[in-house]
Amino acid sequence: MDEILEILEKDARTSVEDISKMLKKKSADVKKAISKYEKEGIILKYKAVINRELIKENETEVRALIEVNLTPQKDLGFDKIAERIYSFPEVSSCYLVSGTYDLLLIVRGKDLHTVARFVAEKLSPMDHVRGVVTHFLLKKYKKMGCSKTKEENKRIAISY
């Protein structure tokens, strides 16, 4: 992968000037390369990684990994089914995977019941869906290359 892309993937807020200094390239060349990547769809979006546990609002969010077994459609394979599934607003990511199931979904909802209703009422009844397994995410240790500090991960020692 291009060095510019590697830098932006680690920290999208790195300025063109800083990238040009790191790579010993002209700022104009770096800016031109970034524009090209954006136009070609190589860079899809710039995004912040949010530690939602530190947001002190009442609103919580439940995330689940859902394994989906499918029967592929004749002449279309999994693509059309996946497209129908990832169009639901609850689905934040959808992957075709190898192994014992076909799709891996990352689903978000305001609570357990919202995710359960999505699975029971929208996902499971779909044509070509043979079965689903839902895993609710309980605790995040690392996301998109960012992990909590050692201080945040410390547990209280218990003695008997």
Side-chain angles (χ1 to χ4, degrees), residues 60-84:
T60 59
E61 179 182 73
V62 173
R63 292 168 294 142
L65 298 177
I66 301 177
E67 304 168 358
V68 184
N69 282 314
L70 300 172
T71 303
Q73 287 182 295
K74 186 175 174 123
D75 299 324
L76 298 174
F78 297 114
D79 293 346
K80 282 291 181 192
I81 305 164
E83 190 176 320
R84 280 189 57 214

Side-chain angles (χ1 to χ4, degrees), residues 91-147:
V91 178
S92 61
S93 297
C94 177
Y95 303 94
L96 180 64
V97 295
S98 62
T100 57
Y101 53 95
D102 304 303
L103 294 181
L104 176 65
L105 310 179
I106 300 175
V107 174
R108 297 173 181 263
K110 68 177 185 169
D111 54 33
L112 291 170
H113 300 292
T114 304
V115 174
R117 266 194 312 279
F118 166 74
V119 172
E121 296 172 7
K122 294 180 180 178
L123 183 60
S124 294
M126 287 180 67
D127 290 340
H128 306 288
V129 172
R130 292 185 310 180
V132 299
V133 176
T134 303
H135 305 275
F136 287 99
L137 301 179
L138 303 176
K139 185 174 182 178
K140 173 184 65 179
Y141 292 103
K142 186 174 184 178
K143 179 179 180 181
M144 296 179 67
C146 298
S147 60

Side-chain angles (χ1 to χ4, degrees), residues 21 35 39 55 58 100 114 129 133 138 155:
K21 287 176 190 172
S35 293
K39 286 177 189 154
I55 299 172
N58 290 338
T100 57
T114 304
V129 172
V133 176
L138 303 176
R155 297 182 79 180

